[in-house]
Amino acid sequence: MSLTEKPKILVVNDDAASLLALTSLLEQWADESNYEVLSARSGQDALRQVLRHDFAVILLDVNMPGMDGFETAEAIHLRPRSADIPIIFVTAFLADEIDRLKAYQRGAADFLFTPVIPQVLRAKVQVFVALATKNEQLKRQAEKLSQRTTELTATNKRLVREMEERRAAERKSSAKDEFLAMLGHELRNPLSAISSAGSLLGMPGVSGDAITRARVIIQRQSQHLSRIVDDLLDLSRAMSGKILLSRKRLDIATLVSSCLDTFRATGRTTGYDIDAQLAPAWVDGDATRLEQIATNLIDNALKYTPAGGRIEITVVPIGEDVVLRVSDSGVGIAPDLLPHVFDVFVQGAISIDRSQGGLGIGLSLVRRLVELHGGTVSACSPGNSSGSTFEIRLPRTDAALSADAPARARPQEAGKPKILLIEDNDDGREMMATMLASFGYPVLQAGDGLEGVRVACSETPDVALVDIGLPGIDGYEVARRLRQDPAARAIRLIAVTGYGLEEDQRRVMEAGFDLHLVKPVDLNALLEQLAAAAPAPDDAGRPQIKPAAAG
């Protein structure tokens, strides 16, 4: 029954006259008492009415043929929806105690005896109608309360979620602000050292030793800046899924040993107790990226371990995995920081002196690179000043069947190739030309793409180092034009550019370049590539130009 419906009263009697009398009497008060009267001539008819309607009260005749009042009452109360409908039995005689007990057992709420006294009938009916109305009101209020509770619960959940999202956004914003501050600090330090060293080189009366130290400082700080940029770019590529692995079988132990040799050569391990237990363990991976992983972990251990501390580096095959473990006796990791140590931009407490340095992206990059290799990384630490352990697990593979071919011997000094340098940055071009000339290479120069094509076609150098972002025509178009010119087709083309994404490398190779190098170019790597392009003597001892490699 909805709030717009009136409570209903059902009168059940097989005698037409009695049924009419009762319904007529009840209908006199229907408008005033706000109810509706329905009737039924038998028990079966009453059951059909109960299936269609809800009733405030049923006036049920006891003596009916076929299905009497008691049986009808029992059937009505067997149905769950009508089990609580109050029934007033109407009987033409005074029921004895046995009949009353039987009626109450069938769910009787009261008795009426005929002839019915109108005032008594009205009073009894009004009680049950009022009770039904109140119950319906309470039911609707409960439904509204339940609905409101559901809405409030949903609203509360939404508010909690929004608060969590806001706090997460605030944490990210704060982490980014701190990162930008750290980035500014990390960039200004080496730039300041480079600027000071450069100024020192131009001062009169500076000693030779001071000039040598200034040059070393410029070189070291330039390498530091390059590492910062590489870390930022690598993390961006890894997070956007743009790193493509160049896989081959390699021994992690050999790779980690090589990384350690580099740290020793630069003096980073001086004053530390380094214990390396490196058992042969082979994986299918990208040597450059795996070296980044090992270098970041070792560098992290050195950075957060005071001089005199102990660092243990272990490589061991365990089951189907190869495990690389780096443990230190350093400052450790606070319990609240440990779950977030691989998140982007996360570091320990920020201090003014920034003694540890770094951008807080090394471990995040480690995790991304390890996951690209199908491995896992974990960290544990007993807490502050208790050291920490980082463990890498990579899928294990069988050892390589044969060793890599030995590196090609460097050519004799007499066969240096002629170099064309196409670069629009005057300072960069001058420094590169000066450096190459100091190694005995004949160098030609061009300041834009069109001039570079003209010089290449007229002078036919052995190698062209080509910047991509050139005025006039870019480096891609330079390569295409040179590859189409029969006179310049054999020139070995090396792209030397600041564009270092995998997509950039693909475009470089598609344009016709033989090699893609990213600025700032590692000097040794560049010299190796130039040596590979040196003229080779023929059988009679005359120099011959090697054809450009196919990639």
Side-chain angles (χ1 to χ4, degrees):
M1 181 180 72
S2 67
L3 291 177
T4 58
E5 292 180 338
K6 296 180 179 180
K8 294 180 176 61
I9 298 172
L10 177 62
V11 181
V12 185
N13 200 306
D14 65 301
D15 181 69
S18 299
L19 182 63
L20 179 61
L22 273 176
T23 55
S24 299
L25 193 59
L26 289 169
E27 286 173 349
Q28 292 179 15
W29 312 306
D31 291 338
E32 181 183 349
S33 299
N34 193 41
Y35 60 75
E36 181 181 353
V37 181
L38 300 178
S39 62
R41 292 287 301 274
S42 65
Q44 289 84 354
D45 192 14
L47 292 177
R48 283 192 289 271
Q49 292 280 22
V50 168
L51 289 174
R52 289 195 292 266
H53 305 285
D54 292 326
F55 292 98
V57 63
I58 297 175
L59 301 179
L60 180 59
D61 184 30
V62 173
N63 296 311
M64 293 187 298
M67 188 181 220
D68 65 17
F70 297 134
E71 293 171 336
T72 302
E74 186 174 12
I76 290 173
H77 285 164
L78 283 175
R79 180 172 172 264
R81 184 173 173 179
S82 57
D84 296 327
I85 297 177
I87 295 175
I88 298 177
F89 281 110
V90 181
T91 179
F93 57 87
L94 290 175
D96 59 22
E97 293 299 325
I98 298 299
D99 286 335
R100 291 193 182 204
L101 177 61
K102 185 177 180 181
Y104 288 127
Q105 288 175 339
R106 300 301 191 278
D110 205 347
F111 273 90
L112 276 175
F113 301 100
T114 56
V116 174
I117 301 173
Q119 293 81 356
V120 174
L121 173 64
R122 182 179 186 184
K124 289 180 181 287
V125 167
Q126 282 182 330
V127 169
F128 289 109
V129 168
L131 181 60
T133 302
K134 182 61 67 177
N135 285 339
E136 186 64 25
Q137 291 174 347
L138 291 175
K139 179 182 176 182
R140 298 307 175 192
Q141 289 175 357
E143 289 176 353
K144 287 184 178 180
L145 182 60
S146 176
Q147 181 180 358
R148 184 59 178 162
T149 301
T150 302
E151 292 173 353
L152 289 174
T153 301
T155 301
N156 184 58
K157 289 181 179 178
R158 187 179 69 254
L159 290 174
V160 170
R161 184 173 64 252
E162 289 176 354
M163 290 173 61
E164 291 174 349
E165 291 173 351
R166 187 177 295 112
R167 282 196 292 265
E170 290 172 353
R171 285 195 299 269
K172 288 182 179 179
S173 178
S174 176
K176 288 180 180 178
D177 290 342
E178 291 173 357
F179 166 73
L180 291 175
M182 287 188 287
L183 178 60
H185 180 277
E186 291 298 310
L187 291 176
R188 288 191 183 97
N189 273 350
L191 286 173
S192 176
I194 291 171
S195 177
S196 299
S199 299
L200 181 66
L201 291 177
M203 291 181 180
V206 179
S207 67
D209 288 344
I211 291 175
T212 300
R213 287 198 300 274
R215 287 173 177 166
V216 171
I217 287 172
I218 290 173
Q219 183 178 16
R220 182 170 61 244
Q221 295 302 323
S222 297
Q223 291 172 347
H224 180 56
L225 282 174
S226 178
R227 284 195 299 270
I228 291 175
V229 173
D230 286 343
D231 277 352
L232 287 170
L233 291 176
D234 281 338
L235 181 61
S236 175
R237 295 167 194 158
M239 294 179 70
S240 59
K242 292 183 178 179
I243 285 185
L244 300 179
L245 300 181
S246 178
R247 291 178 178 268
K248 66 176 182 179
R249 289 184 181 181
L250 53 87
D251 180 12
I252 287 290
T254 302
L255 183 142
V256 172
S257 178
S258 176
C259 293
L260 273 174
D261 289 341
T262 301
F263 279 105
R264 292 189 183 103
T266 58
R268 287 291 308 280
T269 59
T270 303
Y272 291 92
D273 179 12
I274 306 292
D275 180 17
Q277 303 292 330
L278 310 177
W282 293 77
V283 299
D284 182 28
D286 186 314
T288 300
R289 301 306 180 183
L290 292 175
E291 185 175 327
Q292 275 184 285
I293 293 171
T295 298
N296 269 324
L297 291 183
I298 298 171
D299 181 69
N300 197 69
L302 291 169
K303 185 187 301 181
Y304 292 100
T305 302
R310 180 177 176 82
I311 296 173
E312 298 178 359
I313 304 168
T314 305
V315 172
V316 59
I318 300 178
E320 298 298 318
D321 296 331
V322 169
V323 178
L324 165 61
R325 190 178 297 114
V326 179
S327 301
D328 63 67
S329 61
V331 298
I333 305 171
D336 60 332
L337 179 62
L338 191 58
H340 308 288
V341 74
F342 294 105
D343 294 347
V344 181
F345 309 145
V346 169
Q347 281 192 323
I350 303 300
S351 59
I352 296 298
D353 62 10
R354 301 276 300 125
S355 58
Q356 275 76 39
L359 294 175
I361 63 177
L363 291 179
S364 180
L365 181 58
V366 165
R367 180 177 65 178
R368 301 280 181 172
L369 293 176
V370 169
E371 289 173 349
L372 282 175
H373 282 84
T376 60
V377 59
S378 60
C380 63
S381 174
N384 290 330
S385 303
S386 301
S388 58
T389 297
F390 290 85
E391 182 177 283
I392 305 291
R393 285 181 173 266
L394 298 171
R396 183 182 179 186
T397 190
D398 296 331
L401 297 178
S402 60
D404 292 337
R408 177 168 44 191
R410 293 181 61 132
Q412 297 296 319
E413 294 292 321
K416 297 263 178 152
K418 182 165 53 175
I419 311 297
L420 169 60
L421 183 59
I422 308 176
E423 167 66 67
D424 64 313
N425 185 288
D426 295 337
D427 292 341
R429 187 177 68 252
E430 181 183 350
M431 288 297 98
M432 178 66 77
T434 302
M435 182 191 69
L436 292 174
S438 69
F439 281 90
Y441 290 96
V443 181
L444 304 170
Q445 298 185 43
D448 60 54
L450 291 172
E451 183 186 2
V453 172
R454 181 188 61 78
V455 174
C457 292
S458 62
E459 300 292 336
T460 58
D462 301 312
V463 180
L465 303 179
V466 186
D467 183 33
I468 294 298
L470 294 170
I473 60 173
D474 61 23
Y476 301 123
E477 183 61 25
V478 169
R480 294 187 191 100
R481 294 190 183 189
L482 293 181
R483 288 299 183 227
Q484 293 170 0
D485 191 313
R489 188 174 298 162
I491 298 173
R492 181 171 175 81
L493 300 181
I494 300 178
V496 181
T497 173
Y499 300 110
L501 298 178
E502 299 290 343
E503 175 66 16
D504 300 321
Q505 183 176 2
R506 183 188 62 78
R507 291 186 63 193
V508 159
M509 305 311 289
E510 287 179 352
F513 283 94
D514 298 290
L515 188 67
H516 175 256
L517 297 178
V518 180
K519 295 178 181 178
V521 177
D522 179 81
L523 178 59
N524 291 328
L526 177 60
L527 293 178
E528 277 190 22
Q529 295 301 324
L530 296 180
D538 60 12
D539 293 339
R542 294 184 300 272
Q544 289 184 329
I545 301 301
K546 297 179 181 179

